[in-house]
Amino acid sequence: MKKNFKMGTSLLITVCVVMLTACGISTQGKDLGLNAETKPATSYTMEANQQVYALLDFSDTSEYENATKGRIASPDTLDIYDENGKLMWSQTAYGFLEKEAPDTANPSLWRDTQLNHIYGLFEVTDGIYQVRGYDMSNVTFIEGDTGWIVVDPLMSVECAQAALALVEENLGQRPIHAVIYSHSHIDHFGGVKGIVSEDDVLSGKVQIIAPEGFEEYAVSENIYVGTAMGRRASYQYGTLLEDSDTGALCIGIGMGQSKGSTSYISPTMEITQTGEKHIIDGVEIEFQLTPGTEAPSEMNFWLAQKNALWMAENCTGTMHNLYTLRGAQVRDGNAWAEYIMESLSLYGDQTEVVFQSHNWPHWGNEAIREYMINTAAAYKFINDQTLLYINKGYTETEIANMIRLPEELEKVWYTRQYYGTVAHNAKAVYEKYMGWYDANPVHLAELTPTDYATKLVSYLGDTDAVLAMAKADYEKGEYQWVAEITNTLVYADPANIEARYLCADALEQLGYQAESGPWRNAYLCAAKELRFGTNTDLSTRGNSTGDTISHMTPEMILNYIGILVDTEKITDLSFTANIILPEGNYVMRVKNGIVLYQKDCLEDNADVVWTTNRLGLLSIIQKNPDNVAALVAQDGNETCLTKLMDAVVTVSDYTFFNIIEP
């Protein structure tokens, strides 16, 4: 577990700097020229980025033509604010993209950022429109007989409102009859209350359609480890960075993460099988379930009247993630490829346009078939080649450094590594099939990073000499090694200013070279926090309305109670509670501080009976004694609940845990 320092990292660094200065010791990198300033690209970084021009055909403008095709309207500037004046989303900030790629950016990522900067309202085909570039994802409007069918209403309420306003300004006002959630990630449903109200859904005016299992995964993925995902997402999406040629660029599936309010409305219709057809406002939609691909619950659909195929996030115009850097369940590369090929078998002969929830459509049957086959081939290759290497005895890290796409696929613009990478996707395959253990028993009970670093530094002896050698290797362009050894010094002593600065400098150069937007962001965010301390600025985070947690089922809440209880605080606590809820009866068994439960039963000799509802259970998680007293009627030993609540951890206290240091 990360150490929870009472003294914030920023304050710790400042105190160390002041103390060292007072003692007459330079904190600006004595003899090594180290400091907290952003550095330009080195000659090694410039050379690495120049090599990209030799690899890829920058004269091929087909993806630019796809990204601009059908544009109806685009405001000159795009800045979206919430009601308090907080900037939620900006395309205006990327005005610097009009120039050629600078030395501080991989030219391939720069080109992809320029394409993602193309925003506005677009016609996909007759009766199908998209608003792109108004959030991380796209929102699609399908024209029915009397109104709209909306697909994936973005991540933030404010962004969805702005997108709807653009549609209404240019296409007129029409009622929304249905909203389709293509899959269970928040950037595809979080903005729903920006376009429809929950009252309209409850009254039956608006249908919410989603794939089987959607709510379970939409809620559990965003709640159970939501605090950790949120903190890690700030590195993946670069929310700590300025938008600039030395800062955040795009992330391959959009410009980045909006910082608005997220919302949620439960589905009213669940799609349960491939081939299922529904007529919605005169539009026939045939659905294809694709579970376990880009999300645990996901679906494509076919519009036969339009010869249009929706591919959700299974084809996105970039290499996607079999494992996402913010943390998530590992995805199945083989299933991903198989479902794309199933789509091709079902609809490929008739398809004239493929469109999806990120990036831009592709048109023309021949081009579409190639697009789908190439995309499937990339995931299948990573899956199969990794398994082959596993059977040859290679470890996860070895495979990540060995595997490379076949040359022909490597040069295809829409399979480039702007979001996912071959390296970390190969690690995902390894984890899926083999888990974390590489069969080397040395790794069975490894030291913590801090203990390892402290011991290593004691062996190294002279830290100044290590830093001098690391600085010499930095001058040779050995940035990965320099980052590794200096980060070890940081873990041994977080107040080692020179180690922090040199590690930051090395990470910065790795960021400048990265083709993957999330890798660039992660490198540059880490560099920033090494220089200036762990970010604690709430404005870099999105706002939750609490909608998602309020839709947790009783089982989810009981599981979450178990997650939030610090068992070590109550190892002597054991009791049985009968829980009477409107949804049914449950038995909670606390055994030495471990929370277990059973559904649809009651214990004859329970220590206590709690009669409540879901809000009452949520009050336990929220450690709200007033609400518990008002909502939970207790019959029996009331100290059981008091002791249990005392052990519940308030995870919001850990919102800004350290990442790049102990």
Side-chain angles (χ1 to χ4, degrees), residues 422-443:
V422 174
H424 80 243
N425 281 343
K427 289 185 176 182
V429 176
Y430 190 99
E431 291 285 339
K432 175 177 172 57
Y433 285 91
M434 302 300 289
W436 60 269
Y437 182 46
D438 63 1
N440 183 342
V442 171
H443 300 145

Side-chain angles (χ1 to χ4, degrees), residues 289-584:
L289 292 180
T290 64
T293 52
E294 191 273 336
S297 173
E298 189 150 355
M299 64 184 181
N300 302 330
F301 61 75
W302 168 244
L303 299 169
Q305 296 153 296
K306 309 289 186 182
N307 288 332
L309 178 59
W310 166 265
M311 287 298 290
E313 209 162 329
N314 292 313
C315 290
T316 53
T318 181
M319 177 168 290
H320 213 295
N321 291 308
L322 299 183
Y323 168 80
T324 182
L325 303 186
R326 72 175 186 277
Q329 296 181 31
V330 170
R331 299 155 188 178
D332 189 334
N334 187 65
W336 199 325
E338 287 185 346
Y339 279 120
I340 293 174
M341 297 308 289
E342 181 181 74
S343 299
L344 193 64
S345 297
L346 290 171
Y347 316 114
D349 290 344
Q350 307 163 70
T351 302
E352 292 301 329
V353 60
V354 161
F355 61 116
Q356 62 265 333
S357 52
H358 292 282
N359 291 334
W360 38 88
H362 289 77
W363 288 268
N365 188 262
E366 183 177 343
I368 287 167
R369 294 180 67 85
E370 184 177 31
Y371 171 64
M372 294 174 68
I373 290 170
N374 284 340
T375 302
Y379 299 126
K380 192 71 164 71
F381 167 79
I382 295 169
N383 182 84
D384 292 358
Q385 193 69 19
T386 300
L387 295 181
L388 175 63
Y389 285 151
I390 289 171
N391 283 310
K392 288 185 174 183
Y394 292 106
T395 65
E396 178 181 78
T397 303
E398 289 172 326
I399 295 170
N401 281 278
M402 293 165 60
I403 192 167
R404 184 170 177 172
L405 283 179
E407 184 177 358
E408 185 175 337
L409 269 181
E410 190 179 34
K411 294 183 177 182
V412 175
W413 284 109
Y414 51 73
T415 57
R416 294 299 300 174
Q417 302 170 67
Y418 301 123
Y419 193 40
T421 70
V422 174
H424 80 243
N425 281 343
K427 289 185 176 182
V429 176
Y430 190 99
E431 291 285 339
K432 175 177 172 57
Y433 285 91
M434 302 300 289
W436 60 269
Y437 182 46
D438 63 1
N440 183 342
V442 171
H443 300 145
L444 283 172
E446 292 177 297
L447 298 174
T448 68
T450 296
D451 289 345
Y452 174 84
T454 302
K455 195 68 176 176
L456 181 60
V457 166
S458 72
Y459 272 50
L460 294 173
D462 190 341
T463 302
D464 289 340
V466 173
L467 276 170
M469 289 187 287
K471 183 61 162 63
D473 285 338
Y474 176 89
E475 299 299 337
K476 299 174 187 174
E478 298 177 13
Y479 304 126
Q480 181 61 39
W481 163 246
V482 173
E484 289 184 24
I485 189 62
T486 53
N487 196 228
T488 299
L489 299 182
V490 170
Y491 265 80
D493 178 12
N496 186 329
I497 301 299
E498 291 187 331
R500 297 178 75 95
Y501 287 166
L502 186 51
C503 188
D505 289 351
L507 289 168
E508 189 170 58
Q509 296 302 317
L510 291 172
Y512 292 163
Q513 295 179 29
E515 184 178 29
S516 164
W519 280 38
R520 177 186 175 94
N521 288 338
Y523 287 134
L524 297 183
C525 284
K528 183 174 182 177
E529 292 198 332
L530 283 168
R531 288 165 175 163
F532 304 110
T534 296
N535 171 73
T536 57
D537 182 1
L538 284 170
S539 69
T540 62
R541 305 290 290 270
N543 306 314
S544 173
T545 60
D547 281 353
T548 309
I549 197 168
S550 69
H551 284 78
M552 295 177 78
T553 63
E555 291 92 337
M556 289 178 181
I557 298 172
L558 291 170
N559 280 325
Y560 198 36
I561 290 173
I563 292 167
L564 296 184
V565 165
D566 186 347
T567 300
E568 292 182 357
K569 293 181 178 180
I570 52 171
T571 54
D572 59 346
L573 181 63
S574 295
F575 68 87
T576 301
N578 285 336
I579 305 175
I580 313 297
L581 297 171
E583 294 89 345

